[in-house]
Amino acid sequence: MKTAAIILAAGRGTRAGGELPKQWQDLCGQPVIAHSLAAFARFHRVLVVHPDDSDQLSRLDLSGIHVVTGADSRDGSVRAGLAALDPSQIDHVLIHDGARPLVTARVIDGVLSALKHGPAAAPGLAVSDALWTGVQDQVTGLQNRDGLYRAQTPQGFHLQAILAAHHAHKGAATDDVEVARAAGLAVQITPGDEENIKITWPGDLTRAARIMGKNMDIRTGNGFDVHAFTAGDGCWLCGVKVPHDGALLGHSDADVGMHALTDAIYGALAEGDIGRHFPPSDPQWKGAESHVFLAHAASRATARGFAITHCDVTLICERPKIGPHAGAMQARLAQILGIELDRISVKATTSERLGFTGREEGIAAIATATLVKS
Ligand code: MG
């Protein structure tokens, strides 16, 4: 039995504020939709997006994810997602609002477990507040709340049953439970979660960030590196060749700044250092360009579910002067790491002519990296 998850991200909702639809807005360093996708990583995933958002896709790790283009309506987008599934391979499907990034394994497992006994199941929460009717902020009556539930997602179905239900359904639908019920399917209500909120209104992103913060894994790593000067016409520093009357000596391109930053990321992951991943004894890394190391560290962070939210590199030398090149270094590091420019800092200091850097025997670098998993 194999389960697929369809994550809906084609909506144009901007009621939450901001210029981007809510599912593409930033939540704890990643787009909202990235959190929703991560919650379903154990399933075959189909992501339904709007064609206008194709330029946003580069912000996601899409490995193993089938991306399809949605429609103007929710039910049209669901049908596009369903059409991407092979019924000979998939038995059950979970259909989830991409704007619910806080869904937990407990909520998902509740739906899956109910699908063992029936064709359809979805999480809901019994209404506990009193309900009023009102007109122009005046209470006009009391609504009986008995038997009322707030609907959440993922809504889960036997694939063949929901395919047939969507095929038969005419007109729009609020959600897939409505489509399923119209086809006569029994829908089991499973436990919802107060924190499984749908990002809709201004303030929801802040609330979601606060909920995430309770379980957030925030790590900092540090890195330190030194390379000595040798004869040459320039130094590679943070991915930029800086003209100089010397070069840095090393097994690779001796980019001391990038090495320190790479070690900071490995350090935050508690995965050793460059030497462990790229042994100097291995001739294939001789003369290697250091972006290979940095990109590897970044890919380890991604694979472990961490976003790199900030990097700070300090180069320690009397010469060459770093200031004129700091912007280019910042841009190069941001490009390699695939993160925004304002999350990277490159700065420099001298050691007041003291010590080996003061005597211009070499360059030292320290770096700090902050990684967040939410
Ligand atoms: Mg080094």
Side-chain angles (χ1 to χ4, degrees), residues 225-227 259:
D225 196 29
V226 172
H227 282 268
H259 293 179

Side-chain angles (χ1 to χ4, degrees), residues 100-124:
R100 290 187 192 270
L102 302 178
V103 63
T104 60
R106 191 183 65 84
V107 169
I108 295 169
D109 289 342
V111 175
L112 287 177
S113 162
L115 290 181
K116 291 177 190 157
H117 311 291

Side-chain angles (χ1 to χ4, degrees), residues 81-145:
L82 288 170
L85 300 179
D86 178 353
S88 71
Q89 301 290 323
I90 304 288
D91 300 299
H92 294 168
V93 61
L94 299 166
I95 302 172
H96 185 66
D97 294 328
R100 290 187 192 270
L102 302 178
V103 63
T104 60
R106 191 183 65 84
V107 169
I108 295 169
D109 289 342
V111 175
L112 287 177
S113 162
L115 290 181
K116 291 177 190 157
H117 311 291
L125 287 170
V127 171
S128 57
D129 294 324
L131 293 177
W132 299 326
T133 53
V135 175
Q136 294 181 333
D137 292 340
Q138 295 291 312
V139 176
T140 55
L142 194 65
Q143 175 75 44
N144 186 351
R145 69 186 171 216

